[in-house]
Amino acid sequence: MTATATVTAASPAAPAAPAAPVTPASARDGLEVLRGLCAGAVHLPGDERYDDARRPWNLSVDQHPAAVVHPASTEEVAAVVRAVRSLGLRLAPQGTGHCAGALDDLRDAVLLRTSALTGVVVDPEALTVTVGAGTLWDEAVTAAAAHGLAVLHGSSPDVGVVGYCLGGGIGWYARSLGMAAHSVVSAEVVLPDGSVVVAGDGDGEDADLLWALRGGGGFGVVTRMTVRAFPFATAVAGLLVWDAARAEELLPAWAAWAADAPREVTTSFRLLRLPPLPSVPEPFRGRHLVVVDGAVLPGAGLSGPEHAARVLAPLRALGPEVDTFAEVPVAALTRLHMDPEGPTPAVSRSALVDAFPPEAARAFLDAAGPGSGTALLAAEVRQLGGRLADPSPDAALSHLRGAFLVFGGGLALDDEVRRAGHASATRLVEAVAPWASGAAYPNFVEEPADAARAHTPRAWRRLQALRERYDAAGLVAAAHPVTPAGSSAGAVDAQAQR
């Protein structure tokens, strides 16, 4: 979801946003050296455009960096890195800023926005798509689809490709084709010393760096990334809709079906409270609904539609009000989940769980179902397993240690609404805690957390060694940084890392 890797974990109530910094004159004089960089696309506190430049996608986060820069090329990124080092500051790469709340205080950091690093190049013969660090998934999906190809995008069209891959990436083909992070072929990276490398498969340091970029967040600033594309132009996708009054019947049935479903299907179960707005279709306006959405790929020797008919039959037997599952172009899947687009004030919590028995469904509904008093707009269970559970030695985020992912999200229009949403999301996560795996998924968190929980102990130790090699001084401010070996933060809990 973000342009920096994030990690989901239980944590205390969200802290209040830091006060706007008062930049001493001497410090501001030092920052003035940045003015000559990025063709002048530099904003310091007090500048007219500083407030707009520092604002992330998640408008509930009030970040106050020492400066904001918008490089438009790899060379400009390298120049910024060298300048930031000379100033003794940190550097915070950020694309969209969907989960900017996971970053720590940025008052000693220069925020490097990657939005000007755009462009998509599709190679149909090599089955690859190369994107600039500021490219959003909607653009990449559309470009690949024009060549009859699909890429491993997520549920939001306006999330950045690079940040999504750095934190894992689970989308509508995930149980069959795996995480987006595992599809990364190569990446151009500006390292903390200002040098530029292209990390790819093979031997030596570059291969180690590519391994880290596959779900470990990486070390440096990724300016360009190449991902694998897949030769199919359509998928059977859609949604099933029921009134939320049936949730007590539907959630256990879906969970039992999802646990044994073939890898070719990836779905989510959601409770949605839709507002009474004209933009919402009249039959659903102001209603509380159950929505199961997802996609089915060909399998069992059957075509997509034939396989989908067989796989979805148990869910269709539950009599949905609406059934839109059909064979559609892959470009149609970017908006299937109906995630909000454009800057939005949001709050969320999530957890990985090992199983979702009827008792877990009961706890979930008590916390976020009809009559629970929840402030959440969406309470969701994502179906994992399949390829997502298969360990990969070629990626820092080897696999997801959980059969389902529970997520609660709401709006944060003001402090009162934010606190209510955070409390409701926390209540949901705590309700399913008896079934939690103790692990974490990097792209579904809004708060600082222990990054070690996303990785196996062996992978975490390797990431720590790579941090020592590439960024021993901690120049790069990541959403969930790899902490140095021996530090209390990031200590691996052996029980949680089984």
Side-chain angles (χ1 to χ4, degrees), residues 216-289:
F219 303 93
V221 183
V222 175
T223 54
R224 185 177 297 109
M225 180 177 281
T226 298
V227 298
R228 188 175 299 111
F230 298 84
F232 61 92
T234 64
V236 176
L239 49 85
L240 305 172
V241 181
W242 297 263
D243 192 272
R246 295 186 61 190
E248 189 168 346
E249 165 201 1
L250 296 169
L251 180 52
W254 173 84
W257 167 87
D260 295 325
R263 292 184 173 212
E264 295 81 26
V265 60
T266 303
T267 63
S268 76
F269 179 103
R270 287 188 297 164
L271 284 167
L272 294 180
R273 293 191 302 125
L274 300 179
L277 298 175
S279 58
V280 177
E282 195 278 332
F284 304 138
R285 197 172 298 159
R287 292 182 62 188
H288 197 182
L289 301 174

Side-chain angles (χ1 to χ4, degrees), residues 141-484:
V141 169
T142 300
H147 295 273
L149 301 174
V151 285
L152 303 186
H153 63 90
S155 59
S156 298
D158 64 347
V159 165
V161 175
V162 168
Y164 179 82
C165 292
L166 292 178
I170 54 173
W172 297 124
Y173 317 125
R175 298 184 70 252
S176 178
L177 302 177
M179 280 183 274
H182 295 187
S183 77
V184 177
V185 175
S186 64
E188 180 182 73
V189 185
V190 178
L191 296 177
D193 64 3
S195 63
V196 181
V197 300
V198 176
D201 281 321
D203 298 323
E205 291 189 6
D206 290 354
D208 280 343
L209 183 58
L210 181 64
W211 173 88
L213 294 172
R214 290 171 174 159
F219 303 93
V221 183
V222 175
T223 54
R224 185 177 297 109
M225 180 177 281
T226 298
V227 298
R228 188 175 299 111
F230 298 84
F232 61 92
T234 64
V236 176
L239 49 85
L240 305 172
V241 181
W242 297 263
D243 192 272
R246 295 186 61 190
E248 189 168 346
E249 165 201 1
L250 296 169
L251 180 52
W254 173 84
W257 167 87
D260 295 325
R263 292 184 173 212
E264 295 81 26
V265 60
T266 303
T267 63
S268 76
F269 179 103
R270 287 188 297 164
L271 284 167
L272 294 180
R273 293 191 302 125
L274 300 179
L277 298 175
S279 58
V280 177
E282 195 278 332
F284 304 138
R285 197 172 298 159
R287 292 182 62 188
H288 197 182
L289 301 174
V290 168
V291 177
V292 172
D293 53 0
V296 188
L297 297 178
L302 302 174
S303 68
E306 292 171 324
H307 192 42
R310 178 181 296 181
V311 169
L312 297 174
L315 299 182
R316 285 172 163 158
L318 297 171
E321 293 181 26
V322 174
D323 178 354
T324 70
F325 272 91
E327 188 170 25
V328 297
V330 292
L333 273 68
T334 59
R335 290 178 170 82
L336 175 64
H337 207 55
M338 300 177 288
D339 282 353
E341 297 180 48
T344 302
V347 62
S348 71
R349 297 292 304 281
S350 62
L352 289 172
V353 298
D354 282 326
F356 211 81
E359 296 81 5
R362 179 70 270 160
F364 180 97
L365 294 173
D366 286 345
S372 65
T374 183
L376 299 176
L377 294 184
E380 178 174 358
V381 188
R382 291 204 180 193
Q383 179 188 18
L384 304 180
R387 183 76 173 269
L388 294 172
D390 296 341
S392 170
D394 299 322
L397 187 60
S398 165
H399 60 292
L400 295 186
R401 286 163 291 132
F404 297 91
L405 186 147
V406 174
F407 172 85
L411 294 179
L413 300 175
D414 55 37
D415 284 345
E416 182 179 356
V417 175
R418 178 187 64 80
R419 285 192 296 269
H422 189 273
S424 290
T426 299
R427 180 187 175 197
L428 177 61
V429 168
E430 291 176 347
V432 299
W435 301 275
S437 70
Y441 167 59
N443 274 349
F444 268 52
V445 72
E446 295 284 350
E447 302 163 338
D450 183 355
R453 297 180 64 186
H455 306 283
T456 65
R458 182 176 181 179
W460 183 246
R461 290 191 294 270
R462 185 176 175 185
L463 283 168
Q464 289 181 310
L466 291 174
R467 173 186 162 152
E468 185 65 24
R469 179 193 303 176
Y470 289 108
D471 191 17
L475 176 81
V476 177
H480 293 280
V482 175
T483 52

